[in-house]
Amino acid sequence: MVSYVCLNWVLLVLFTGPTVSELVVTGEAGQDVTVPCHYSVRDRSAITSMCWGRDRCPNSKCSQPIIWTDGWRVTEQHSSRYQLKGDLQKGDVSLTIVNAREADSGTYCCRVELPGWFNDQLINLKVVIMKARISTASPHTYTSEQTSAPGSTSETSFTVTRTWPSVSASEAPQTASAPCSGPSDCLDVTANLQNTSLSLPSQQRPEHGLYIAIGSCAALLLILILALFLT
């Protein structure tokens, strides 16, 4: 009877396997994705071997193994994209997938081999690698006002605005609106300039005559007053 019960227990363990936990890890394509896995290390004697595999953890070892370690260093490595960057001697056996791809999605098994029957630590992790995000921001466009051919020297033009003092129409010198078309035109322009320069002093003559007229009237008036007194 006791042997029958023990046989049923052994068969139950073999067919059902040890209890396995399962976690979900998400990442983005093109980025490094870390799949966590740790075990307790109390002293140096507790350091043990482990493996990572694609697919769920089997009853022993790892199916489709991608990396192995003896607890001190990596002994087997399926690809350089699979790395153990944690401190192995402290029980950090997390798997880093370098430059993850969408094809890396799936179930991964972390199996830590502990002494004794059916004592291995098994962790199934579901990895989901999503497509890289595409930025929707519009690209910056830089434009220039002037484009020159390669090898040529481009010059930047500046517009300078000058403010001149206001001049009345009578004081403004006359200038030709167009270049001289012939000798006669140039002579006419020169004559106009000379007439303008000569006419400016003549504007003072009426004022001088006005002063003379006023003085003459005052003298005549004074003579008339003296004449009246004498008569």
Side-chain angles (χ1 to χ4, degrees), residues 130-221:
M130 299 178 293
K131 292 182 179 180
R133 299 177 183 178
I134 300 176
S135 178
T136 58
S138 58
H140 296 284
T141 303
Y142 300 95
T143 58
S144 59
E145 297 181 356
Q146 182 177 358
T147 304
S148 58
S152 63
T153 304
S154 59
E155 296 182 356
T156 305
S157 59
F158 298 92
T159 302
V160 180
T161 304
R162 296 182 180 180
T163 304
W164 297 94
S166 58
V167 181
S168 61
S170 60
E171 296 177 357
Q174 298 178 358
T175 59
S177 60
C180 299
S181 59
S184 59
D185 293 340
C186 293
L187 292 175
D188 293 339
V189 172
T190 303
N192 291 333
L193 293 175
Q194 292 178 354
N195 292 335
T196 302
S197 61
L198 293 175
S199 61
L200 291 176
S202 63
Q203 294 179 358
Q204 298 178 358
R205 293 179 182 178
E207 297 179 358
H208 183 68
L210 180 61
Y211 295 148
I212 295 175
I214 293 174
S216 300
C217 293
L220 292 175
L221 183 60

Side-chain angles (χ1 to χ4, degrees), residues 7-225:
L7 179 61
N8 287 339
W9 180 80
V10 171
L11 292 175
L12 180 63
V13 171
L14 290 176
F15 283 101
T16 58
T19 303
V20 180
S21 59
E22 185 171 357
L23 301 174
V24 178
V25 178
T26 59
E28 184 176 335
Q31 303 294 330
D32 293 352
V33 178
T34 300
V35 187
C37 186
H38 302 79
Y39 70 96
S40 176
V41 177
R42 295 183 299 273
D43 51 36
R44 296 174 64 87
S45 62
I47 298 175
T48 183
S49 59
M50 62 83 57
C51 65
W52 278 94
R54 296 291 301 263
D55 208 349
R56 297 180 64 85
C57 296
N59 292 328
S60 64
K61 307 300 180 180
C62 290
S63 59
Q64 303 181 35
I66 57 178
I67 196 167
W68 277 87
T69 172
D70 60 2
W72 302 89
R73 60 185 179 85
V74 175
T75 56
E76 295 182 21
Q77 190 175 14
H78 177 71
S79 171
S80 60
R81 295 179 56 244
Y82 301 119
Q83 300 179 11
L84 300 180
K85 296 184 177 182
D87 191 343
L88 301 180
Q89 299 179 18
K90 292 183 179 180
D92 185 359
V93 291
S94 301
L95 174 67
T96 299
I97 305 175
V98 179
N99 192 17
R101 308 167 185 170
E102 293 184 55
D104 294 323
S105 299
T107 301
Y108 288 75
C109 168
C110 173
R111 187 184 197 102
V112 180
E113 298 178 330
L114 300 177
W117 284 14
F118 313 112
N119 286 337
D120 291 353
Q121 174 182 312
L122 309 179
I123 302 177
N124 288 327
L125 301 106
K126 184 178 180 181
V127 177
V128 179
I129 305 299
M130 299 178 293
K131 292 182 179 180
R133 299 177 183 178
I134 300 176
S135 178
T136 58
S138 58
H140 296 284
T141 303
Y142 300 95
T143 58
S144 59
E145 297 181 356
Q146 182 177 358
T147 304
S148 58
S152 63
T153 304
S154 59
E155 296 182 356
T156 305
S157 59
F158 298 92
T159 302
V160 180
T161 304
R162 296 182 180 180
T163 304
W164 297 94
S166 58
V167 181
S168 61
S170 60
E171 296 177 357
Q174 298 178 358
T175 59
S177 60
C180 299
S181 59
S184 59
D185 293 340
C186 293
L187 292 175
D188 293 339
V189 172
T190 303
N192 291 333
L193 293 175
Q194 292 178 354
N195 292 335
T196 302
S197 61
L198 293 175
S199 61
L200 291 176
S202 63
Q203 294 179 358
Q204 298 178 358
R205 293 179 182 178
E207 297 179 358
H208 183 68
L210 180 61
Y211 295 148
I212 295 175
I214 293 174
S216 300
C217 293
L220 292 175
L221 183 60
L222 181 60
I223 293 172
L224 290 175
I225 292 173

